[in-house]
Amino acid sequence: MTSISQDGDRDKLRSVSVDLNNDTPLLIDIPDALCERDKVKFTIHTKTTLNSFQKPDFSVSRQHEDFIWLHDTLVETEDYAGLIIPPVPPKPDFESPREKMHKLGEGEATMTKEEYTKMKQELEAEYLAVFKKTVQVHEIFLQRLSSHPAFSKDRNFQIFLEYDQDLSVRRKNAKEMFGGFFKNMVKSADEVLISGVKEVDEFFEQEKTFLLDYFGKIKDATAKAEKMTRSHKNLADDYIHISATLTTIAADDNEAFKSKACISNVCVCVQKLEARVASDQELKLTELFRYYMRDIQAAKDLLYRRARALADYENSNKALDKARLKSKDVGQAEEHQQQCLQKFDKLSESGKKELTSFKARRVVAFRKNLIEMAELEIKHAKSNMSLLHACIEQLQSN
Amino acid sequence: MKMAASSERSPPPFPELEDQELEPELEDEDSDEGADIFTGSTLSSMDPPLPVSTSEPDKDIFSGPRAEPLNNPLSETAAEQLKAVSGASSKAKGDVPVEEAGSEEPDDLFSDPLGESGAELETHTSNAPLLDFSEEPPKSDPIKKAASADDYIKKPQKDIFEESTEDGVKAAAAHVGSVAAEKKVLHTDLFGDGVDDDEDKDDLFKTPPGAMMKKPQASLFRAEPDDIFPEAKTEAKPATKASAKQPNNAPTDLFTEEPFTVMPAARAAVKPAAIPSANTSSKTNGLHSDEEDLFAEATVELSLDSPRNDRRKRDAMKPSEPVPCPSTSTSSSKPQPKKLEELEEEEKEDKFDLNISVTNPEKVGDGMNAYMAYRVSTQTTLSMFRSKQLTVRRRFSDFLGLYEKLSEKHSPNGYIVPPAPEKSILGMTKVKVGKEDLSSDEFVERRRAALERYLQRVVSHPSLLQDPDVREFLEKEELPRAVSTQALSGAGFLKMINKATDAVSKMTIKMNESDVWFEEKLQEVESEDQQLRKLHGMVESLVNHRKELSVNTAVFAKSVAMLGSSEDNTALSRALSQLAEVEDRIEQLHQDQAANDFFIFAELLADYIRLLGAVRACFDQRMKAWQRWQDGQNMLQKKREAEAKLLWANKPEKLQQAKDEIGEWEGRVSQYERDFDRVSATVRKEVMRFEKEKTRDFKKQIIKYLQSLLHSEQQLIKYWEAFLPEAKAIA
């Protein structure tokens, strides 16, 4: 069981991707999370001035599945078709640190005790980092909902926040899973089909190509950044081994290698800093990219829904033409056509608004993260430098 | 002439002094120092430590030597002298050892120059006598007139003694007495007593060298204006035979330069010479030869057989002789360890006088016969090298050849011979095939650096630096092609077999270690070897991971650049492309750092892993020496048993043979034991040295490594700081 209280880091973490929570009547954060086996229980704390809530200040416990449920209900709500629905947070993934831990246990014999302890600590730190990240993305999801004028008033959302019992959301069964998969297939096929539909609005046309392009790029960048941070972490791990070996050598003959003991200390510090550089990079850059990758996916979904609506409208136009030709069910067709048009217009309108705000949001988030990352890099490099400096001086003096 | 004045300086004391005063002291001294020498010597007749200076010894000297001196051609004696002088001077000029090592290793000091100077000396001999004469009036006179000679003789003697007593240089005086007798001792004393004067000596030696060849004596005299001899110069005209004396004086002068302490010794040398001269000119030669021996002997002792033999004959007749024998024996056994220490100290001082760099790797030839040649440039202030700047071209197999030679010569003695870089067939083949790709460049650079480090290690080793092969390697334009260094050759195969048998024998030898130090050290070395190997593996993986990181960073940079290009917000797009640029630079940084990781850290470890191998090899050598000793003992035991059996069986005819064999084996065993002790001592010293070196090396390299890290961090800061405003400019 791991439990974290992220008071210290929370401010920093929360601001990773979005920062729209100022002065809103609904303030949400996840001050605490509890990890039991595969399940992670998030404590969600809400502060509000809205009278739709019974109390101004309350906390509930939710699991990852509850978030998925919330997201799904939002997606399925017809009214929100014209909105970019915040992407659902990824499933908590503790597999990789766990696997590593397992491997470490196997390799225990080949390592010195000290080395093993250090590796273990490192893994624990990594595990904790993953944990924090998970909490963070869930928090962001809720914050985006709460900061959105439409979503904040959503009934389901309010229930999610307020209902103090277990939501007891049923896990998706196999059929539903398959259904979801099938739906996705249909959707992507449909996407291809309706791509032939002539776009009437240049804005959307542009936006569509941009998003498609951007999505590909950002996906690529995410993968690469991930790779980079991973190798950076490997590097940091190497320092652990080196420092451990140096320590044993220093212990072996303390006279000749006295200097090595201090070097091994430096190695440890360098390692820690390198590891921090790596995790900060991951947090600031990779997570940013990843988040926007999903966000863009959401935006694309919006475009898809609009395109669908457009296609529907076209179809209804055709149907109306046919009906007029046959002078049969004209009224009904007209009505349908009107409905489609209305829906499409509405979608276009809100979509336009959403996409514009999305763009602004993205730029702001990028700016913030890039600045933060640069600052952190500088900070780490500086502390690394002073460390090395001290060590060199120490070496030279003795 | 200045000499007149100066000559007066020394003469005054003469009259006042009495022989008696000197004698007791002399004798005392002799008993201390000379006695040992004499006892060690084979000559029984000469046992009484020479109160030589007095009349009695004189007689001996005169009576005995006469025949011999005559036999010895002047030229020879002169030559010897010259050799001694030139040897001494050239050495002095060349190196420090003279001062410190004077007593212990005269052989080495002087033996080196002999070869060079020999030829010239002979030619000079003819000239020398003349010069000598002019300079040596006091003695030359005696030659012509015996009576006057006597006076002269006595005077100088007195002077000598007086001075010596006054100066308190008793040892020197003592030698004066025994003078001719002890060549070696005199030498040592001269050097030893004259400690204060060391510097002067140096000067002495340094000044003459240039002139030495042409006018050895003259220059010597010049250096030493205070002497009696210069005065003489003006007075007397040379008699050809007296010339022999001059050389004697000359060397004495060399030493006498420092005012008093040495002077007596010089005088002592002169005196005996003078005495004989009174009797016959021929005798003077003989005496001279002895005196020369004083100086020459030490130099020649080991290296020159013929002069020594001559001398020995003379020695038999003269009291002076006994010395040489002991000196030879002592010098052979003693010098080595001492020399080592001295050289070591010396090493520390002038270590940085020798800079070796290996540069300009160049491919020579084509196809599979192609090879890489490197430029080996040496910068040095050591005078043992021909010049201060040496540049030669060497190929890789030359380096291997050097290693082979060195290890053959030195490793059996327990020295740690730095191993040359390993052959790499794969790497070299790549280079040969001639693909100008990154990996072959890297290979060449890696090898170049390794070779440079190798040479630096070799020359930083005091005894290896002295090796003629090393000098040849650094100096000679063309080296004979090194053979048997090919990886795939008969020799290589043989080497492998040898190694294998060595390994097997190592396993079978069970040494019961008498010295705990060695046992512990060996264990230490072995565990360290393991740790270093482990560490090396880790550093290698660090290098690989950093390379990987560098590659990944590059890919990411590209990806970010693409992202930037499709970004529609101009400021953000700009920032992203800036980010891409930063990442690009960081990639370069990682790459450089990876190179640093490798060249500074990993290669250091790899070097030391191989060096530890060499350390272990020297332990093995010690074990082998031990084994030999044990085998010898066993053999001796067997022989003894056989003898006992014969005794019991009462077979007298075979008994003698058995006894002889026992005697032979006893000699061998004690030789082996000495060998073993020597190897042990060397190993111990070498290991200490190695450890010192290692600590220093590691410290240096690690500081360098940390500095490289520091540098990367600085660059990193620079890059990110440059990026920061870009990020902030995003609107």
Side-chain angles (χ1 to χ4, degrees):
Chain A
M1 266 181 35
T2 315
S3 150
I4 54 152
S5 170
Q6 20 164 209
D7 295 328
D9 288 327
R10 201 176 49 215
D11 294 338
K12 205 165 75 184
L13 291 183
R14 188 202 290 158
S15 57
V16 166
S17 311
V18 262
D19 193 22
L20 303 166
N21 242 355
N22 309 327
D23 296 335
T24 41
L26 193 58
L27 274 174
I28 301 171
D29 62 345
I30 304 181
D32 219 2
L34 208 64
C35 183
E36 289 171 348
R37 301 234 138 243
D38 286 346
K39 283 184 209 162
V40 182
K41 285 188 171 169
F42 303 94
T43 308
I44 296 159
H45 174 243
T46 314
K47 240 181 167 177
T48 183
T49 51
L50 295 179
N51 3 337
S52 49
F53 293 101
Q54 287 168 348
K55 280 185 282 184
D57 197 333
F58 47 87
S59 294
V60 289
S61 174
R62 293 286 174 264
Q63 288 182 29
H64 176 68
E65 283 69 26
D66 301 330
F67 285 82
I68 294 177
W69 165 81
L70 180 60
H71 179 257
D72 286 348
T73 53
L74 292 177
V75 171
E76 278 156 21
T77 311
E78 196 76 6
D79 292 343
Y80 302 144
L83 303 175
I84 296 178
I85 297 161
V88 68
K91 193 175 181 326
D93 177 22
F94 298 120
E95 272 314 299
S96 86
R98 242 184 226 145
E99 209 171 287
K100 272 192 195 166
M101 193 72 101
H102 188 65
K103 255 191 215 160
L104 184 70
E106 279 174 348
E108 190 179 351
T110 63
M111 277 181 277
T112 61
K113 203 177 163 198
E114 202 176 339
E115 203 175 346
Y116 178 75
T117 334
K118 271 188 199 147
M119 284 303 280
K120 208 174 154 190
Q121 278 171 2
E122 196 50 38
L123 276 182
E124 276 163 6
E126 193 183 328
Y127 183 73
L128 210 66
V130 172
F131 194 74
K132 273 185 191 170
K133 218 167 62 190
T134 311
V135 170
Q136 187 199 339
V137 286
H138 285 81
E139 197 179 41
I140 288 168
F141 174 70
L142 294 182
Q143 280 166 0
R144 272 205 46 200
L145 289 180
S146 73
S147 62
H148 197 280
F151 293 131
S152 63
K153 294 182 186 72
D154 182 72
R155 188 63 210 142
N156 284 324
F157 181 49
Q158 290 189 353
I159 290 171
F160 177 89
L161 290 177
E162 205 173 16
Y163 187 61
D164 59 356
Q165 303 291 306
D166 197 347
L167 280 180
S168 68
V169 179
R170 185 169 54 83
R171 295 218 171 190
K172 282 183 184 170
N173 59 29
K175 196 181 155 198
E176 274 171 329
M177 290 276 270
F178 183 74
F181 179 68
F182 185 70
K183 225 161 73 184
N184 270 340
M185 288 276 287
V186 170
K187 194 184 107 188
S188 39
D190 203 28
E191 241 166 26
V192 177
L193 276 178
I194 61 174
S195 63
V197 179
K198 198 178 164 285
E199 184 56 74
V200 284
D201 194 328
E202 207 176 308
F203 173 82
F204 284 102
E205 179 70 43
Q206 246 177 19
E207 207 54 27
K208 193 172 138 196
T209 50
F210 166 73
L211 282 177
L212 272 175
D213 181 35
Y214 204 78
F215 180 73
K217 301 277 169 58
I218 207 165
K219 198 172 169 187
D220 184 52
T222 310
K224 301 293 155 59
E226 215 171 317
K227 232 173 156 183
M228 186 173 74
T229 46
R230 207 183 312 129
S231 45
H232 214 129
K233 273 180 190 159
N234 282 339
L235 196 69
D237 283 352
D238 285 336
Y239 275 113
I240 295 185
H241 293 299
I242 289 171
S243 89
T245 318
L246 278 173
T247 321
T248 34
I249 291 179
D252 273 0
D253 61 76
N254 39 16
E255 185 135 351
F257 287 93
K258 204 182 256 172
S259 50
K260 281 196 183 168
C262 110
I263 293 161
S264 96
N265 286 338
V266 171
C267 273
V268 177
C269 298
V270 168
Q271 174 266 320
K272 274 189 185 143
L273 281 167
E274 290 281 356
R276 223 176 294 159
V277 170
S279 63
D280 280 340
Q281 259 178 8
E282 171 152 42
L283 204 62
K284 296 290 169 199
L285 209 57
T286 319
E287 282 306 301
L288 173 78
F289 287 157
R290 198 174 289 144
Y291 185 81
Y292 275 93
M293 191 176 90
R294 288 201 308 271
D295 217 3
I296 287 167
Q297 184 60 49
K300 267 167 69 192
D301 285 349
L302 167 68
L303 284 182
Y304 162 70
R305 288 194 293 269
R306 189 185 150 276
R308 182 73 257 172
L310 181 62
D312 284 349
Y313 172 62
E314 301 265 313
N315 285 342
S316 69
N317 268 347
K318 274 181 205 152
L320 183 61
D321 284 349
K322 234 189 223 166
R324 284 211 178 112
L325 214 64
K326 290 181 183 166
S327 358
K328 199 167 87 183
D329 298 333
V330 176
Q332 199 184 353
E334 235 168 27
E335 198 183 328
H336 182 67
Q337 189 249 7
Q338 279 303 314
Q339 253 176 18
C340 283
L341 182 63
Q342 236 172 30
K343 189 181 163 196
F344 173 70
D345 282 346
K346 200 180 126 204
L347 270 178
S348 292
E349 194 191 341
S350 72
K352 209 175 213 165
K353 225 162 58 190
E354 280 284 300
L355 284 173
T356 322
S357 84
F358 164 75
K359 215 178 244 173
R361 200 173 64 223
R362 197 189 67 229
V363 171
V364 169
F366 265 77
R367 174 172 189 269
K368 192 172 160 51
N369 274 294
L370 287 178
I371 290 173
E372 275 175 3
M373 192 180 74
E375 276 168 352
L376 278 171
E377 291 269 3
I378 292 169
K379 193 186 114 198
H380 290 322
K382 272 185 179 155
S383 55
N384 230 344
M385 226 173 83
S386 65
L387 194 74
L388 289 167
H389 221 84
C391 179
I392 289 171
E393 256 165 32
Q394 197 185 336
L395 272 177
Q396 268 165 350
S397 70
N398 71 31
Chain B
M1 273 183 125
K2 213 202 232 166
M3 297 157 184
S6 60
S7 65
E8 277 172 17
R9 252 194 245 157
S10 45
F14 294 11
E16 296 163 17
L17 299 173
E18 290 305 326
D19 290 353
Q20 288 102 345
E21 283 180 19
L22 289 173
E23 291 212 22
E25 284 171 342
L26 285 174
E27 283 181 5
D28 290 345
E29 287 294 344
D30 286 344
S31 59
D32 289 341
E33 295 170 6
D36 297 336
I37 297 158
F38 293 126
T39 53
S41 66
T42 48
L43 299 177
S44 56
S45 63
M46 296 337 292
D47 282 349
L50 292 180
V52 176
S53 55
T54 57
S55 55
E56 293 169 22
D58 284 353
K59 284 171 191 168
D60 291 342
I61 296 165
F62 294 133
S63 60
R66 231 180 244 171
E68 286 247 320
L70 292 172
N71 297 340
N72 298 335
L74 248 186
S75 62
E76 191 190 327
T77 56
E80 276 184 48
Q81 271 246 326
L82 286 174
K83 279 175 200 167
V85 173
S86 62
S89 59
S90 62
K91 248 294 152 155
K93 158 184 75 172
D95 243 35
V96 195
V98 177
E99 304 165 286
E100 297 168 359
S103 54
E104 286 93 354
E105 44 160 5
D107 334 76
D108 300 340
L109 281 177
F110 298 110
S111 59
D112 287 350
L114 277 177
E116 303 160 14
S117 56
E120 289 150 349
L121 290 171
E122 280 176 289
T123 58
H124 293 304
T125 51
S126 57
N127 300 335
L130 293 175
L131 292 165
D132 301 341
F133 257 123
S134 63
E135 284 152 0
E136 244 213 358
K139 278 129 202 177
S140 61
D141 288 345
I143 298 166
K144 285 167 183 169
K145 298 174 184 178
S148 63
D150 287 343
D151 292 342
Y152 272 109
I153 296 158
K154 279 171 189 171
K155 272 187 191 173
Q157 282 174 358
K158 285 170 192 168
D159 293 342
I160 295 158
F161 293 127
E162 262 197 30
E163 275 186 20
S164 61
T165 50
E166 278 182 2
D167 298 336
V169 185
K170 288 164 187 174
H175 293 302
V176 174
S178 58
V179 176
E182 327 160 9
K183 285 112 205 233
K184 231 247 157 166
V185 176
L186 225 187
H187 253 308
T188 58
D189 288 349
L190 275 174
F191 289 109
D193 291 351
V195 173
D196 313 337
D197 309 323
D198 281 350
E199 289 170 16
D200 294 346
K201 275 183 209 163
D202 293 354
D203 296 343
L204 262 181
F205 292 122
K206 274 166 193 163
T207 46
M212 274 308 298
M213 289 302 160
K214 288 173 184 174
K215 302 178 179 181
Q217 283 85 1
S219 61
L220 284 170
F221 281 108
R222 260 179 235 143
E224 193 224 340
D226 308 32
D227 251 20
I228 311 160
F229 307 113
E231 194 194 8
K233 241 192 229 167
T234 53
E235 293 173 14
K237 290 296 165 182
T240 46
K241 287 174 184 177
S243 67
K245 276 184 212 161
Q246 269 282 317
N248 293 341
N249 297 336
T252 57
D253 293 341
L254 268 177
F255 300 108
T256 48
E257 242 251 292
E258 325 80 50
F260 303 103
T261 47
V262 186
M263 275 293 277
R267 294 276 164 67
V270 176
K271 177 187 46 179
I275 297 163
S277 69
N279 294 342
T280 26
S281 58
S282 61
K283 263 185 198 168
T284 58
N285 289 342
L287 284 175
H288 283 302
S289 66
D290 287 351
E291 285 171 358
E292 288 157 12
D293 290 346
L294 264 179
F295 305 99
E297 237 256 296
T299 63
V300 180
E301 270 170 2
L302 295 178
S303 52
L304 281 190
D305 284 342
S306 57
R308 205 207 304 169
N309 293 341
D310 290 348
R311 248 207 335 85
R312 270 196 188 151
K313 285 179 207 159
R314 276 174 254 143
D315 293 347
M317 299 157 188
K318 289 172 198 169
S320 56
E321 302 334 333
V323 187
C325 302
S327 69
T328 49
S329 60
T330 52
S331 62
S332 60
S333 56
K334 252 199 221 165
Q336 246 193 337
K338 283 209 178 174
K339 192 171 77 183
L340 244 182
E341 276 171 20
E342 279 152 20
L343 286 172
E344 228 168 275
E345 282 163 24
E346 182 194 326
E347 234 301 295
K348 270 170 223 150
E349 286 159 22
D350 57 20
K351 158 158 255 161
F352 300 104
D353 287 351
L354 191 60
N355 262 323
I356 293 190
S357 55
V358 177
T359 49
N360 279 20
E362 215 174 68
K363 199 167 127 184
V364 178
D366 274 318
M368 284 318 279
N369 287 324
Y371 63 89
M372 296 299 294
Y374 304 85
R375 191 164 75 193
V376 179
S377 354
T378 315
Q379 264 189 321
T380 180
T381 55
L382 293 183
S383 56
M384 58 185 268
F385 291 101
R386 259 186 330 182
S387 66
K388 292 193 171 179
Q389 295 269 3
L390 300 161
T391 307
V392 287
R393 285 204 81 78
R394 293 281 177 263
R395 52 180 294 182
F396 183 67
S397 55
D398 293 336
F399 288 83
L400 288 184
L402 177 65
Y403 168 68
E404 292 292 334
K405 280 186 207 161
L406 290 179
S407 81
E408 215 170 277
K409 253 189 280 183
H410 294 282
S411 69
N413 291 327
Y415 287 104
I416 299 172
V417 181
E422 269 147 13
K423 272 211 106 114
S424 161
I425 297 173
L426 185 72
M428 201 51 214
T429 311
K430 257 190 193 167
V431 174
K432 278 175 180 167
V433 170
K435 275 191 185 158
E436 292 291 322
D437 67 342
L438 209 66
S439 71
S440 80
D441 279 356
E442 201 183 289
F443 168 78
V444 170
E445 168 57 20
R446 181 180 172 182
R447 174 166 275 186
R448 186 205 62 74
L451 289 174
E452 189 172 289
R453 285 194 309 272
Y454 165 66
L455 279 187
Q456 277 162 357
R457 280 210 175 92
V458 168
V459 299
S460 76
H461 192 295
S463 11
L464 294 185
L465 176 62
Q466 301 294 328
D467 193 285
D469 280 327
V470 173
R471 220 177 311 164
E472 192 177 64
F473 182 87
L474 296 176
E475 277 182 353
K476 223 172 172 189
E477 225 28 81
E478 289 289 324
L479 270 190
R481 176 97 164 79
V483 284
S484 77
T485 56
Q486 235 122 23
L488 299 173
S489 68
F493 188 63
L494 273 183
K495 247 182 267 165
M496 270 167 62
I497 291 181
N498 278 342
K499 263 184 205 159
T501 52
D502 268 6
V504 171
S505 69
K506 224 196 300 177
M507 307 261 281
T508 54
I509 297 178
K510 277 204 193 82
M511 185 169 181
N512 50 17
E513 184 59 81
S514 51
D515 195 334
V516 190
W517 186 87
F518 284 100
E519 208 169 8
E520 280 174 358
K521 261 295 167 256
L522 186 59
Q523 258 172 15
E524 226 171 73
V525 165
E526 263 158 18
S527 81
E528 197 182 322
D529 185 50
Q530 260 178 7
Q531 294 291 350
L532 281 188
R533 270 170 208 282
K534 195 174 159 198
L535 190 60
H536 184 242
M538 281 160 186
V539 175
E540 295 243 282
S541 93
L542 177 77
V543 172
N544 287 337
H545 279 142
R546 213 189 281 276
K547 277 183 185 158
E548 204 176 278
L549 174 62
S550 144
V551 170
N552 285 339
T553 310
V555 172
F556 175 68
K558 233 171 259 161
S559 173
V560 169
M562 295 291 285
L563 186 65
S565 72
S566 61
E567 172 63 59
D568 58 354
N569 180 304
T570 42
L572 182 55
S573 157
R574 206 176 122 77
L576 282 176
S577 62
Q578 285 291 324
L579 178 66
E581 231 165 83
V582 168
E583 293 290 350
D584 251 343
R585 284 196 200 127
I586 290 175
E587 179 247 323
Q588 189 56 43
L589 210 58
H590 284 316
Q591 217 173 331
D592 292 349
Q593 189 54 46
N596 281 333
D597 283 346
F598 182 75
F599 279 111
I600 301 179
F601 207 3
E603 285 289 82
L604 171 78
L605 293 173
D607 273 7
Y608 268 91
I609 288 169
R610 278 185 303 123
L611 272 171
L612 281 177
V615 173
R616 280 158 74 167
C618 91
F619 276 102
D620 291 347
Q621 290 295 346
R622 180 173 166 272
M623 198 150 84
K624 269 190 201 159
W626 184 83
Q627 183 67 22
R628 221 172 19 234
W629 177 32
Q630 294 302 310
D631 287 349
Q633 266 181 340
N634 288 340
M635 196 53 145
L636 182 60
Q637 191 61 34
K638 265 183 213 156
K639 297 279 177 200
R640 283 204 174 118
E641 277 164 17
E643 190 205 16
K645 260 182 212 159
L646 286 174
L647 215 56
W648 188 69
N650 203 8
K651 284 181 186 164
E653 69 280 4
K654 284 188 185 168
L655 205 55
Q656 189 50 45
Q657 195 196 339
K659 272 190 176 139
D660 288 348
E661 276 181 353
I662 287 176
E664 188 195 328
W665 275 100
E666 270 169 354
R668 274 195 214 171
V669 166
S670 65
Q671 177 62 38
Y672 288 153
E673 187 175 359
R674 247 178 291 143
D675 281 352
F676 172 68
D677 287 344
R678 189 169 47 80
V679 171
S680 295
T682 316
V683 168
R684 192 188 276 256
K685 207 162 287 159
E686 283 285 281
V687 169
M688 306 273 227
R689 200 190 89 86
F690 169 76
E691 281 182 348
K692 232 185 279 168
E693 200 107 300
K694 183 180 68 181
T695 314
R696 196 173 48 208
D697 242 24
F698 264 102
K699 195 173 150 187
K700 203 179 93 199
Q701 289 297 92
I702 281 182
I703 286 179
K704 203 167 148 200
Y705 177 64
L706 290 180
Q707 269 161 351
S708 78
L709 278 179
L710 193 68
H711 178 75
S712 325
E713 295 295 337
Q714 274 166 343
Q715 292 297 107
L716 210 58
I717 290 177
K718 221 172 79 189
Y719 296 155
W720 283 113
E721 270 172 353
F723 173 71
L724 202 53
E726 289 292 337
K728 281 182 176 153
I730 302 170

